[in-house]
Amino acid sequence: MEDRICSKVSCQREAVATLTFDYEGRMAALGPLGADNDPHAHDLCAEHTERMSVPTGWAVLKHESLRD
């Protein structure tokens, strides 16, 4: 299996989490690295996972393994 890298521009670190969005529900979900390389999901490295933010009024659901 090929390592996946962070989706952020110019970041070459290994991805550790996958971010998906529900635009209608104004919700972002952050979980462990997804099994598939889904074109509608965004893989993030550890640094960008920690720094991730969403628009005001949106909810963030974090998988238990990614919580502080």
Side-chain angles (χ1 to χ4, degrees):
M1 179 174 150
E2 187 176 316
D3 287 338
R4 290 176 11 210
I5 61 169
C6 185
S7 297
K8 290 289 192 173
V9 175
S10 299
C11 184
Q12 295 297 309
R13 291 187 281 283
E14 182 179 355
V16 298
T18 298
L19 176 66
T20 56
F21 296 100
D22 171 5
Y23 292 98
E24 186 177 334
R26 298 185 335 179
M27 188 178 321
L30 187 61
L33 194 60
D36 296 323
N37 195 0
D38 183 341
H40 302 291
H42 306 278
D43 294 339
L44 299 176
C45 66
E47 181 178 334
H48 286 117
T49 296
E50 285 293 318
R51 294 177 32 196
M52 187 220 42
S53 63
V54 296
T56 301
W58 280 52
V60 177
L61 298 177
K62 278 190 179 181
H63 187 270
E64 167 177 305
S65 66
L66 299 171
R67 291 186 188 149
D68 298 329

